[in-house]
Short mmCIF file of all heavy atoms in Angstrom, two decimals:
data_model
loop_
_atom_site.label_atom_id
_atom_site.label_comp_id
_atom_site.label_asym_id
_atom_site.label_seq_id
_atom_site.Cartn_x
_atom_site.Cartn_y
_atom_site.Cartn_z
N THR A 224 -8.94 -26.66 -10.70
CA THR A 224 -9.05 -26.20 -9.33
C THR A 224 -8.47 -24.79 -9.21
O THR A 224 -7.62 -24.40 -10.00
CB THR A 224 -8.29 -27.12 -8.36
OG1 THR A 224 -6.92 -27.09 -8.67
CG2 THR A 224 -8.84 -28.53 -8.38
N LEU A 225 -8.95 -24.07 -8.22
CA LEU A 225 -8.52 -22.70 -8.00
C LEU A 225 -7.29 -22.69 -7.10
O LEU A 225 -7.30 -23.27 -6.02
CB LEU A 225 -9.65 -21.90 -7.35
CG LEU A 225 -9.32 -20.49 -6.92
CD1 LEU A 225 -8.98 -19.64 -8.14
CD2 LEU A 225 -10.50 -19.90 -6.17
N ASP A 226 -6.23 -22.08 -7.55
CA ASP A 226 -5.05 -21.88 -6.73
C ASP A 226 -5.27 -20.58 -5.96
O ASP A 226 -5.09 -19.49 -6.48
CB ASP A 226 -3.80 -21.79 -7.61
CG ASP A 226 -2.53 -21.58 -6.82
OD1 ASP A 226 -2.61 -21.33 -5.59
OD2 ASP A 226 -1.45 -21.64 -7.42
N ARG A 227 -5.70 -20.71 -4.71
CA ARG A 227 -6.08 -19.53 -3.93
C ARG A 227 -4.93 -18.58 -3.71
O ARG A 227 -5.11 -17.36 -3.76
CB ARG A 227 -6.69 -19.95 -2.60
CG ARG A 227 -8.03 -20.61 -2.77
CD ARG A 227 -8.67 -20.90 -1.42
NE ARG A 227 -9.86 -21.70 -1.57
CZ ARG A 227 -11.04 -21.23 -1.89
NH1 ARG A 227 -11.19 -19.96 -2.10
NH2 ARG A 227 -12.08 -22.03 -2.00
N SER A 228 -3.73 -19.07 -3.48
CA SER A 228 -2.61 -18.16 -3.25
C SER A 228 -2.29 -17.38 -4.51
O SER A 228 -1.98 -16.20 -4.47
CB SER A 228 -1.37 -18.92 -2.76
OG SER A 228 -0.93 -19.83 -3.75
N SER A 229 -2.40 -18.02 -5.66
CA SER A 229 -2.17 -17.34 -6.93
C SER A 229 -3.28 -16.34 -7.20
O SER A 229 -3.02 -15.21 -7.65
CB SER A 229 -2.09 -18.36 -8.06
OG SER A 229 -1.93 -17.70 -9.29
N ALA A 230 -4.51 -16.71 -6.92
CA ALA A 230 -5.64 -15.80 -7.13
C ALA A 230 -5.51 -14.58 -6.22
O ALA A 230 -5.72 -13.45 -6.65
CB ALA A 230 -6.95 -16.53 -6.87
N ALA A 231 -5.16 -14.79 -4.98
CA ALA A 231 -4.98 -13.68 -4.04
C ALA A 231 -3.85 -12.78 -4.51
O ALA A 231 -3.94 -11.56 -4.46
CB ALA A 231 -4.71 -14.20 -2.64
N SER A 232 -2.78 -13.37 -4.98
CA SER A 232 -1.64 -12.60 -5.49
C SER A 232 -2.06 -11.74 -6.67
O SER A 232 -1.67 -10.57 -6.76
CB SER A 232 -0.52 -13.55 -5.90
OG SER A 232 0.56 -12.82 -6.44
N ASP A 233 -2.87 -12.28 -7.56
CA ASP A 233 -3.35 -11.51 -8.72
C ASP A 233 -4.21 -10.33 -8.28
O ASP A 233 -4.11 -9.25 -8.84
CB ASP A 233 -4.15 -12.41 -9.66
CG ASP A 233 -3.28 -13.39 -10.42
OD1 ASP A 233 -2.04 -13.19 -10.43
OD2 ASP A 233 -3.82 -14.33 -11.00
N VAL A 234 -5.05 -10.53 -7.26
CA VAL A 234 -5.89 -9.44 -6.76
C VAL A 234 -5.01 -8.33 -6.21
O VAL A 234 -5.21 -7.15 -6.51
CB VAL A 234 -6.87 -9.95 -5.68
CG1 VAL A 234 -7.53 -8.79 -4.95
CG2 VAL A 234 -7.92 -10.84 -6.32
N TYR A 235 -4.01 -8.70 -5.41
CA TYR A 235 -3.11 -7.68 -4.86
C TYR A 235 -2.37 -6.93 -5.95
O TYR A 235 -2.20 -5.72 -5.87
CB TYR A 235 -2.11 -8.29 -3.87
CG TYR A 235 -2.68 -8.50 -2.50
CD1 TYR A 235 -2.71 -9.75 -1.93
CD2 TYR A 235 -3.19 -7.44 -1.76
CE1 TYR A 235 -3.24 -9.95 -0.65
CE2 TYR A 235 -3.73 -7.62 -0.50
CZ TYR A 235 -3.74 -8.88 0.05
OH TYR A 235 -4.25 -9.06 1.29
N LYS A 236 -1.94 -7.63 -6.98
CA LYS A 236 -1.21 -6.97 -8.06
C LYS A 236 -2.07 -5.92 -8.76
O LYS A 236 -1.59 -4.88 -9.17
CB LYS A 236 -0.73 -8.00 -9.08
CG LYS A 236 0.43 -8.82 -8.61
CD LYS A 236 0.81 -9.86 -9.64
CE LYS A 236 1.84 -10.81 -9.10
NZ LYS A 236 2.09 -11.92 -10.00
N ARG A 237 -3.36 -6.20 -8.89
CA ARG A 237 -4.26 -5.27 -9.58
C ARG A 237 -4.73 -4.14 -8.69
O ARG A 237 -5.01 -3.05 -9.16
CB ARG A 237 -5.47 -6.02 -10.13
CG ARG A 237 -5.17 -6.87 -11.33
CD ARG A 237 -6.47 -7.34 -11.95
NE ARG A 237 -7.34 -7.99 -10.98
CZ ARG A 237 -7.46 -9.30 -10.82
NH1 ARG A 237 -6.79 -10.12 -11.59
NH2 ARG A 237 -8.27 -9.81 -9.93
N GLN A 238 -4.87 -4.39 -7.40
CA GLN A 238 -5.50 -3.43 -6.51
C GLN A 238 -4.56 -2.83 -5.48
O GLN A 238 -4.99 -2.11 -4.60
CB GLN A 238 -6.67 -4.09 -5.78
CG GLN A 238 -7.76 -4.54 -6.71
CD GLN A 238 -8.90 -5.20 -5.97
OE1 GLN A 238 -8.83 -5.46 -4.78
NE2 GLN A 238 -9.96 -5.47 -6.67
N ALA A 239 -3.28 -3.13 -5.56
CA ALA A 239 -2.35 -2.66 -4.56
C ALA A 239 -1.23 -1.84 -5.20
O ALA A 239 -0.86 -2.06 -6.35
CB ALA A 239 -1.75 -3.84 -3.80
N LEU A 240 -0.75 -0.89 -4.42
CA LEU A 240 0.36 -0.04 -4.85
C LEU A 240 1.55 -0.27 -3.94
O LEU A 240 1.39 -0.47 -2.73
CB LEU A 240 -0.04 1.44 -4.74
CG LEU A 240 -1.25 1.91 -5.53
CD1 LEU A 240 -1.65 3.31 -5.08
CD2 LEU A 240 -0.93 1.90 -7.01
N THR A 241 2.73 -0.20 -4.51
CA THR A 241 3.94 -0.20 -3.68
C THR A 241 4.08 1.20 -3.08
O THR A 241 3.40 2.15 -3.50
CB THR A 241 5.19 -0.51 -4.52
OG1 THR A 241 5.38 0.55 -5.47
CG2 THR A 241 5.07 -1.86 -5.22
N GLY A 242 4.99 1.35 -2.14
CA GLY A 242 5.25 2.67 -1.57
C GLY A 242 5.67 3.67 -2.63
O GLY A 242 5.25 4.83 -2.62
N ALA A 243 6.51 3.23 -3.56
CA ALA A 243 6.98 4.13 -4.64
C ALA A 243 5.82 4.54 -5.54
O ALA A 243 5.71 5.71 -5.94
CB ALA A 243 8.07 3.44 -5.45
N GLU A 244 4.93 3.59 -5.85
CA GLU A 244 3.77 3.91 -6.69
C GLU A 244 2.82 4.87 -5.96
O GLU A 244 2.27 5.79 -6.57
CB GLU A 244 3.04 2.64 -7.09
CG GLU A 244 3.83 1.78 -8.06
CD GLU A 244 3.25 0.38 -8.22
OE1 GLU A 244 2.55 -0.11 -7.31
OE2 GLU A 244 3.53 -0.23 -9.27
N LEU A 245 2.64 4.64 -4.67
CA LEU A 245 1.79 5.51 -3.87
C LEU A 245 2.37 6.92 -3.84
O LEU A 245 1.65 7.91 -4.02
CB LEU A 245 1.66 4.97 -2.44
CG LEU A 245 0.84 5.82 -1.49
CD1 LEU A 245 -0.62 5.88 -1.92
CD2 LEU A 245 0.96 5.28 -0.08
N ALA A 246 3.67 7.03 -3.64
CA ALA A 246 4.33 8.34 -3.62
C ALA A 246 4.12 9.07 -4.94
O ALA A 246 3.78 10.25 -4.96
CB ALA A 246 5.82 8.17 -3.33
N GLN A 247 4.29 8.36 -6.03
CA GLN A 247 4.11 8.96 -7.35
C GLN A 247 2.66 9.41 -7.53
O GLN A 247 2.40 10.51 -8.02
CB GLN A 247 4.50 7.97 -8.43
CG GLN A 247 4.46 8.56 -9.82
CD GLN A 247 4.96 7.57 -10.86
OE1 GLN A 247 5.01 6.37 -10.64
NE2 GLN A 247 5.33 8.09 -12.01
N ARG A 248 1.72 8.58 -7.13
CA ARG A 248 0.30 8.90 -7.28
C ARG A 248 -0.07 10.16 -6.50
O ARG A 248 -0.86 10.98 -6.94
CB ARG A 248 -0.53 7.71 -6.80
CG ARG A 248 -1.99 7.94 -6.63
CD ARG A 248 -2.89 7.56 -7.80
NE ARG A 248 -2.68 6.27 -8.38
CZ ARG A 248 -3.42 5.20 -8.14
NH1 ARG A 248 -4.40 5.24 -7.28
NH2 ARG A 248 -3.18 4.08 -8.79
N LEU A 249 0.54 10.32 -5.29
CA LEU A 249 0.19 11.44 -4.42
C LEU A 249 1.13 12.63 -4.58
O LEU A 249 0.98 13.64 -3.88
CB LEU A 249 0.17 10.98 -2.96
CG LEU A 249 -0.86 9.90 -2.63
CD1 LEU A 249 -0.74 9.49 -1.18
CD2 LEU A 249 -2.27 10.38 -2.94
N ASN A 250 2.12 12.48 -5.45
CA ASN A 250 3.09 13.54 -5.71
C ASN A 250 3.87 13.92 -4.45
O ASN A 250 4.03 15.09 -4.12
CB ASN A 250 2.41 14.77 -6.33
CG ASN A 250 3.41 15.67 -7.02
OD1 ASN A 250 4.44 15.21 -7.52
ND2 ASN A 250 3.13 16.96 -7.05
N VAL A 251 4.30 12.89 -3.73
CA VAL A 251 5.16 13.06 -2.56
C VAL A 251 6.38 12.16 -2.77
O VAL A 251 6.41 11.35 -3.69
CB VAL A 251 4.44 12.72 -1.24
CG1 VAL A 251 3.26 13.64 -1.00
CG2 VAL A 251 4.01 11.26 -1.20
N THR A 252 7.36 12.28 -1.90
CA THR A 252 8.54 11.44 -2.02
C THR A 252 8.30 10.07 -1.38
O THR A 252 7.46 9.96 -0.47
CB THR A 252 9.77 12.08 -1.34
OG1 THR A 252 9.52 12.13 0.08
CG2 THR A 252 10.04 13.48 -1.89
N PRO A 253 9.02 9.05 -1.81
CA PRO A 253 8.92 7.75 -1.13
C PRO A 253 9.27 7.86 0.36
O PRO A 253 8.71 7.14 1.18
CB PRO A 253 9.93 6.88 -1.88
CG PRO A 253 9.97 7.47 -3.26
CD PRO A 253 9.85 8.96 -3.03
N GLN A 254 10.16 8.77 0.71
CA GLN A 254 10.52 8.98 2.12
C GLN A 254 9.30 9.44 2.92
O GLN A 254 9.11 9.04 4.06
CB GLN A 254 11.65 10.01 2.23
CG GLN A 254 12.10 10.28 3.65
CD GLN A 254 12.80 9.12 4.32
OE1 GLN A 254 13.21 8.16 3.66
NE2 GLN A 254 12.92 9.17 5.62
N THR A 255 8.46 10.28 2.32
CA THR A 255 7.24 10.72 3.00
C THR A 255 6.33 9.55 3.27
O THR A 255 5.79 9.41 4.38
CB THR A 255 6.52 11.79 2.15
OG1 THR A 255 7.36 12.93 2.02
CG2 THR A 255 5.18 12.19 2.77
N VAL A 256 6.16 8.68 2.29
CA VAL A 256 5.32 7.48 2.47
C VAL A 256 5.89 6.61 3.59
O VAL A 256 5.16 6.11 4.45
CB VAL A 256 5.19 6.69 1.16
CG1 VAL A 256 4.47 5.36 1.38
CG2 VAL A 256 4.46 7.52 0.10
N TYR A 257 7.21 6.45 3.60
CA TYR A 257 7.89 5.68 4.64
C TYR A 257 7.60 6.28 6.02
O TYR A 257 7.25 5.56 6.96
CB TYR A 257 9.39 5.65 4.37
CG TYR A 257 10.21 5.12 5.51
CD1 TYR A 257 10.34 3.75 5.73
CD2 TYR A 257 10.87 5.99 6.39
CE1 TYR A 257 11.09 3.26 6.79
CE2 TYR A 257 11.62 5.52 7.45
CZ TYR A 257 11.73 4.15 7.64
OH TYR A 257 12.46 3.66 8.69
N LEU A 258 7.72 7.60 6.15
CA LEU A 258 7.47 8.26 7.43
C LEU A 258 6.02 8.14 7.86
O LEU A 258 5.74 7.94 9.05
CB LEU A 258 7.89 9.74 7.36
CG LEU A 258 9.40 9.98 7.23
CD1 LEU A 258 9.69 11.45 7.00
CD2 LEU A 258 10.13 9.47 8.47
N TRP A 259 5.10 8.25 6.91
CA TRP A 259 3.68 8.04 7.24
C TRP A 259 3.48 6.66 7.83
O TRP A 259 2.76 6.48 8.81
CB TRP A 259 2.81 8.19 6.01
CG TRP A 259 2.62 9.58 5.49
CD1 TRP A 259 2.84 10.75 6.15
CD2 TRP A 259 2.15 9.92 4.19
NE1 TRP A 259 2.54 11.80 5.32
CE2 TRP A 259 2.10 11.33 4.12
CE3 TRP A 259 1.77 9.18 3.07
CZ2 TRP A 259 1.68 12.00 2.99
CZ3 TRP A 259 1.35 9.85 1.95
CH2 TRP A 259 1.31 11.26 1.90
N ARG A 260 4.11 5.65 7.20
CA ARG A 260 3.95 4.28 7.67
C ARG A 260 4.52 4.13 9.07
O ARG A 260 3.91 3.54 9.96
CB ARG A 260 4.62 3.30 6.70
CG ARG A 260 4.28 1.84 7.02
CD ARG A 260 4.84 0.86 6.02
NE ARG A 260 6.26 0.70 6.22
CZ ARG A 260 7.21 1.05 5.35
NH1 ARG A 260 6.88 1.57 4.19
NH2 ARG A 260 8.48 0.89 5.62
N LYS A 261 5.70 4.68 9.31
CA LYS A 261 6.35 4.57 10.62
C LYS A 261 5.56 5.29 11.71
O LYS A 261 5.49 4.82 12.84
CB LYS A 261 7.78 5.12 10.57
CG LYS A 261 8.73 4.23 9.80
CD LYS A 261 8.82 2.89 10.48
CE LYS A 261 9.79 1.97 9.77
NZ LYS A 261 9.76 0.63 10.31
N LYS A 262 4.98 6.44 11.37
CA LYS A 262 4.22 7.23 12.35
C LYS A 262 2.79 6.75 12.50
O LYS A 262 2.08 7.14 13.42
CB LYS A 262 4.20 8.70 11.94
CG LYS A 262 5.54 9.38 12.02
CD LYS A 262 5.41 10.82 11.54
CE LYS A 262 6.73 11.53 11.57
NZ LYS A 262 6.60 12.92 11.05
N GLY A 263 2.32 5.93 11.54
CA GLY A 263 0.95 5.45 11.57
C GLY A 263 -0.06 6.50 11.11
O GLY A 263 -1.23 6.43 11.47
N THR A 264 0.40 7.46 10.30
CA THR A 264 -0.48 8.54 9.87
C THR A 264 -0.93 8.41 8.42
O THR A 264 -1.78 9.17 7.97
CB THR A 264 0.21 9.91 10.04
OG1 THR A 264 1.42 9.92 9.27
CG2 THR A 264 0.52 10.19 11.49
N GLY A 265 -0.39 7.47 7.69
CA GLY A 265 -0.72 7.30 6.28
C GLY A 265 -1.84 6.31 6.08
O GLY A 265 -2.48 5.86 7.04
N PRO A 266 -2.08 5.94 4.83
CA PRO A 266 -3.11 4.95 4.53
C PRO A 266 -2.75 3.58 5.11
O PRO A 266 -1.57 3.28 5.33
CB PRO A 266 -3.16 4.90 3.01
CG PRO A 266 -1.96 5.62 2.52
CD PRO A 266 -1.42 6.43 3.63
N ARG A 267 -3.77 2.78 5.37
CA ARG A 267 -3.53 1.40 5.82
C ARG A 267 -2.69 0.68 4.78
O ARG A 267 -2.74 1.00 3.60
CB ARG A 267 -4.85 0.65 5.97
CG ARG A 267 -5.54 0.88 7.27
CD ARG A 267 -6.80 0.06 7.37
NE ARG A 267 -6.51 -1.36 7.21
CZ ARG A 267 -7.44 -2.29 7.06
NH1 ARG A 267 -8.71 -1.96 7.06
NH2 ARG A 267 -7.11 -3.55 6.92
N TYR A 268 -1.95 -0.31 5.23
CA TYR A 268 -1.13 -1.10 4.33
C TYR A 268 -1.15 -2.55 4.78
O TYR A 268 -1.55 -2.86 5.90
CB TYR A 268 0.31 -0.58 4.29
CG TYR A 268 1.01 -0.58 5.63
CD1 TYR A 268 1.73 -1.70 6.05
CD2 TYR A 268 0.93 0.51 6.49
CE1 TYR A 268 2.36 -1.71 7.29
CE2 TYR A 268 1.55 0.50 7.71
CZ TYR A 268 2.27 -0.60 8.11
OH TYR A 268 2.88 -0.62 9.34
N VAL A 269 -0.77 -3.41 3.88
CA VAL A 269 -0.62 -4.82 4.21
C VAL A 269 0.85 -5.17 4.10
O VAL A 269 1.57 -4.61 3.27
CB VAL A 269 -1.48 -5.75 3.31
CG1 VAL A 269 -2.95 -5.52 3.56
CG2 VAL A 269 -1.14 -5.56 1.86
N THR A 270 1.27 -6.04 4.96
CA THR A 270 2.66 -6.50 4.95
C THR A 270 2.69 -7.86 4.27
O THR A 270 1.95 -8.76 4.64
CB THR A 270 3.19 -6.63 6.39
OG1 THR A 270 3.03 -5.37 7.05
CG2 THR A 270 4.66 -7.03 6.41
N VAL A 271 3.55 -7.97 3.27
CA VAL A 271 3.69 -9.23 2.53
C VAL A 271 5.11 -9.73 2.75
O VAL A 271 6.08 -9.04 2.42
CB VAL A 271 3.41 -9.02 1.02
CG1 VAL A 271 3.59 -10.32 0.27
CG2 VAL A 271 2.02 -8.45 0.81
N GLN A 272 5.21 -10.91 3.33
CA GLN A 272 6.51 -11.51 3.63
C GLN A 272 6.84 -12.52 2.54
O GLN A 272 6.02 -13.37 2.23
CB GLN A 272 6.43 -12.20 4.99
CG GLN A 272 7.72 -12.49 5.64
CD GLN A 272 8.44 -11.26 6.14
OE1 GLN A 272 7.84 -10.24 6.45
NE2 GLN A 272 9.74 -11.34 6.22
N ASN A 273 8.00 -12.39 1.96
CA ASN A 273 8.45 -13.34 0.93
C ASN A 273 9.87 -13.75 1.29
O ASN A 273 10.83 -13.11 0.86
CB ASN A 273 8.39 -12.69 -0.45
CG ASN A 273 8.73 -13.67 -1.56
OD1 ASN A 273 8.94 -14.85 -1.31
ND2 ASN A 273 8.80 -13.17 -2.77
N GLY A 274 9.97 -14.80 2.10
CA GLY A 274 11.30 -15.21 2.58
C GLY A 274 11.85 -14.13 3.49
O GLY A 274 11.23 -13.74 4.46
N GLN A 275 13.03 -13.62 3.16
CA GLN A 275 13.67 -12.57 3.95
C GLN A 275 13.14 -11.18 3.63
O GLN A 275 13.36 -10.24 4.36
CB GLN A 275 15.19 -12.60 3.69
CG GLN A 275 15.87 -13.86 4.13
CD GLN A 275 16.10 -13.89 5.63
OE1 GLN A 275 16.06 -12.87 6.30
NE2 GLN A 275 16.31 -15.09 6.17
N ARG A 276 12.45 -11.05 2.51
CA ARG A 276 12.00 -9.75 2.02
C ARG A 276 10.61 -9.40 2.55
O ARG A 276 9.69 -10.21 2.49
CB ARG A 276 11.99 -9.77 0.51
CG ARG A 276 11.68 -8.45 -0.12
CD ARG A 276 11.85 -8.53 -1.61
NE ARG A 276 11.48 -7.27 -2.20
CZ ARG A 276 11.05 -7.13 -3.43
NH1 ARG A 276 10.95 -8.18 -4.20
NH2 ARG A 276 10.75 -5.95 -3.90
N THR A 277 10.46 -8.18 3.04
CA THR A 277 9.17 -7.68 3.49
C THR A 277 8.75 -6.56 2.55
O THR A 277 9.52 -5.65 2.27
CB THR A 277 9.24 -7.14 4.92
OG1 THR A 277 9.67 -8.18 5.78
CG2 THR A 277 7.89 -6.61 5.39
N ARG A 278 7.51 -6.65 2.06
CA ARG A 278 6.96 -5.60 1.20
C ARG A 278 5.74 -5.02 1.88
O ARG A 278 5.01 -5.72 2.56
CB ARG A 278 6.56 -6.17 -0.16
CG ARG A 278 7.75 -6.67 -0.96
CD ARG A 278 7.34 -7.18 -2.30
NE ARG A 278 6.80 -6.06 -3.09
CZ ARG A 278 6.06 -6.21 -4.17
NH1 ARG A 278 5.73 -7.41 -4.59
NH2 ARG A 278 5.62 -5.17 -4.84
N TYR A 279 5.54 -3.74 1.66
CA TYR A 279 4.37 -3.05 2.18
C TYR A 279 3.56 -2.62 0.97
O TYR A 279 4.07 -1.94 0.09
CB TYR A 279 4.78 -1.84 3.02
CG TYR A 279 5.66 -2.24 4.17
CD1 TYR A 279 7.05 -2.12 4.07
CD2 TYR A 279 5.12 -2.77 5.33
CE1 TYR A 279 7.86 -2.51 5.12
CE2 TYR A 279 5.94 -3.16 6.39
CZ TYR A 279 7.31 -3.02 6.27
OH TYR A 279 8.11 -3.42 7.30
N LEU A 280 2.30 -3.03 0.94
CA LEU A 280 1.43 -2.70 -0.18
C LEU A 280 0.23 -1.92 0.33
O LEU A 280 -0.29 -2.17 1.42
CB LEU A 280 0.97 -3.97 -0.89
CG LEU A 280 2.07 -4.83 -1.51
CD1 LEU A 280 1.48 -6.11 -2.09
CD2 LEU A 280 2.82 -4.05 -2.58
N TYR A 281 -0.19 -0.99 -0.48
CA TYR A 281 -1.30 -0.10 -0.15
C TYR A 281 -2.46 -0.43 -1.07
O TYR A 281 -2.34 -0.28 -2.29
CB TYR A 281 -0.86 1.36 -0.31
CG TYR A 281 0.28 1.70 0.61
CD1 TYR A 281 1.60 1.43 0.23
CD2 TYR A 281 0.05 2.25 1.86
CE1 TYR A 281 2.66 1.72 1.08
CE2 TYR A 281 1.10 2.54 2.71
CZ TYR A 281 2.40 2.28 2.31
OH TYR A 281 3.45 2.55 3.16
N LEU A 282 -3.55 -0.89 -0.50
CA LEU A 282 -4.71 -1.25 -1.30
C LEU A 282 -5.45 0.00 -1.76
O LEU A 282 -5.58 0.97 -1.01
CB LEU A 282 -5.65 -2.15 -0.51
CG LEU A 282 -5.05 -3.47 -0.01
CD1 LEU A 282 -6.08 -4.26 0.78
CD2 LEU A 282 -4.51 -4.29 -1.17
N GLU A 283 -5.91 -0.02 -2.99
CA GLU A 283 -6.62 1.13 -3.57
C GLU A 283 -7.79 1.56 -2.68
O GLU A 283 -7.99 2.75 -2.44
CB GLU A 283 -7.14 0.78 -4.97
CG GLU A 283 -6.06 0.55 -5.99
CD GLU A 283 -5.55 1.83 -6.64
OE1 GLU A 283 -6.07 2.92 -6.32
OE2 GLU A 283 -4.65 1.72 -7.46
N ALA A 284 -8.56 0.62 -2.18
CA ALA A 284 -9.72 0.94 -1.35
C ALA A 284 -9.29 1.67 -0.07
O ALA A 284 -9.95 2.62 0.36
CB ALA A 284 -10.51 -0.32 -1.01
N ASP A 285 -8.20 1.24 0.54
CA ASP A 285 -7.70 1.89 1.75
C ASP A 285 -7.19 3.30 1.45
O ASP A 285 -7.32 4.21 2.26
CB ASP A 285 -6.60 1.06 2.41
CG ASP A 285 -7.12 -0.23 3.00
OD1 ASP A 285 -8.32 -0.29 3.36
OD2 ASP A 285 -6.34 -1.19 3.09
N LEU A 286 -6.61 3.47 0.27
CA LEU A 286 -6.14 4.80 -0.13
C LEU A 286 -7.32 5.75 -0.26
O LEU A 286 -7.26 6.89 0.23
CB LEU A 286 -5.37 4.71 -1.45
CG LEU A 286 -4.91 6.04 -2.04
CD1 LEU A 286 -4.04 6.81 -1.06
CD2 LEU A 286 -4.18 5.80 -3.35
N VAL A 287 -8.40 5.30 -0.86
CA VAL A 287 -9.59 6.14 -1.01
C VAL A 287 -10.13 6.54 0.36
O VAL A 287 -10.44 7.72 0.60
CB VAL A 287 -10.68 5.43 -1.85
CG1 VAL A 287 -11.99 6.17 -1.80
CG2 VAL A 287 -10.21 5.25 -3.28
N VAL A 288 -10.23 5.59 1.27
CA VAL A 288 -10.72 5.88 2.63
C VAL A 288 -9.82 6.91 3.31
O VAL A 288 -10.30 7.87 3.91
CB VAL A 288 -10.81 4.58 3.47
CG1 VAL A 288 -11.06 4.88 4.94
CG2 VAL A 288 -11.88 3.66 2.90
N TRP A 289 -8.52 6.73 3.20
CA TRP A 289 -7.58 7.64 3.83
C TRP A 289 -7.68 9.04 3.23
O TRP A 289 -7.70 10.03 3.96
CB TRP A 289 -6.15 7.10 3.69
CG TRP A 289 -5.12 7.97 4.33
CD1 TRP A 289 -4.86 8.10 5.67
CD2 TRP A 289 -4.20 8.83 3.66
NE1 TRP A 289 -3.84 8.99 5.86
CE2 TRP A 289 -3.41 9.45 4.64
CE3 TRP A 289 -3.97 9.13 2.32
CZ2 TRP A 289 -2.41 10.35 4.33
CZ3 TRP A 289 -2.97 10.03 2.01
CH2 TRP A 289 -2.20 10.63 3.00
N LEU A 290 -7.76 9.13 1.92
CA LEU A 290 -7.88 10.43 1.27
C LEU A 290 -9.16 11.14 1.71
O LEU A 290 -9.15 12.35 1.95
CB LEU A 290 -7.84 10.28 -0.25
CG LEU A 290 -6.49 9.92 -0.84
CD1 LEU A 290 -6.62 9.57 -2.32
CD2 LEU A 290 -5.48 11.05 -0.65
N GLU A 291 -10.25 10.40 1.81
CA GLU A 291 -11.51 10.99 2.25
C GLU A 291 -11.40 11.49 3.69
O GLU A 291 -11.95 12.54 4.04
CB GLU A 291 -12.65 9.97 2.16
CG GLU A 291 -13.06 9.65 0.73
CD GLU A 291 -13.75 10.82 0.04
OE1 GLU A 291 -14.50 11.57 0.69
OE2 GLU A 291 -13.52 10.98 -1.18
N SER A 292 -10.67 10.77 4.53
CA SER A 292 -10.53 11.17 5.93
C SER A 292 -9.61 12.38 6.10
O SER A 292 -9.68 13.07 7.11
CB SER A 292 -9.99 10.00 6.77
OG SER A 292 -8.61 9.80 6.52
N GLU A 293 -8.79 12.65 5.11
CA GLU A 293 -7.85 13.77 5.16
C GLU A 293 -8.45 15.05 4.62
O GLU A 293 -7.80 16.11 4.66
CB GLU A 293 -6.57 13.43 4.39
CG GLU A 293 -5.75 12.33 5.02
CD GLU A 293 -5.20 12.73 6.38
OE1 GLU A 293 -4.54 13.78 6.49
OE2 GLU A 293 -5.44 11.99 7.34
N ARG A 294 -9.64 14.99 4.09
CA ARG A 294 -10.29 16.19 3.53
C ARG A 294 -10.59 17.17 4.64
O ARG A 294 -11.02 16.77 5.72
CB ARG A 294 -11.60 15.82 2.84
CG ARG A 294 -11.41 15.14 1.54
CD ARG A 294 -12.75 14.81 1.00
NE ARG A 294 -12.84 15.27 -0.37
CZ ARG A 294 -13.86 15.05 -1.14
NH1 ARG A 294 -14.91 14.43 -0.66
NH2 ARG A 294 -13.88 15.47 -2.37
N PRO A 295 -10.41 18.47 4.35
CA PRO A 295 -10.74 19.48 5.39
C PRO A 295 -12.23 19.61 5.61
O PRO A 295 -13.05 19.23 4.87
CB PRO A 295 -10.18 20.78 4.81
CG PRO A 295 -9.77 20.51 3.42
CD PRO A 295 -9.85 19.03 3.18
#
């Protein structure tokens, strides 16, 4: 049988970036990524709750859309 939560987790691991990974990819600081998220000006993200811990992940597809929208 398919463990859907495990399968979904595997998809996110392959197609999602943490804020630190996103910062590195875009050559900006993690603080910049944080500010984009707070202001709502950065790429879309998903919120993943794990007990008390909240993680913000950036899907590759959403990053591409955001980069395209930021082109002059």
Side-chain angles (χ1 to χ4, degrees):
T224 63
L225 174 64
D226 180 352
R227 291 186 188 278
S228 63
S229 177
S232 177
D233 288 346
V234 168
Y235 279 122
K236 286 177 188 173
R237 286 191 307 261
Q238 297 180 352
L240 301 169
T241 65
E244 291 167 336
L245 178 65
Q247 185 175 20
R248 169 95 48 100
L249 298 177
N250 199 29
V251 298
T252 66
Q254 181 68 15
T255 297
V256 173
Y257 168 81
L258 291 173
W259 287 342
R260 190 176 75 245
K261 289 298 181 187
K262 292 178 181 178
T264 59
R267 277 183 57 190
Y268 60 89
V269 294
T270 304
V271 179
Q272 198 71 26
N273 185 4
Q275 296 282 342
R276 185 173 177 206
T277 301
R278 294 182 65 197
Y279 302 98
L280 298 176
Y281 299 85
L282 301 179
E283 293 275 358
D285 291 333
L286 176 57
V287 169
V288 169
W289 181 76
L290 288 171
E291 290 290 324
S292 74
E293 293 295 306
R294 286 179 130 175

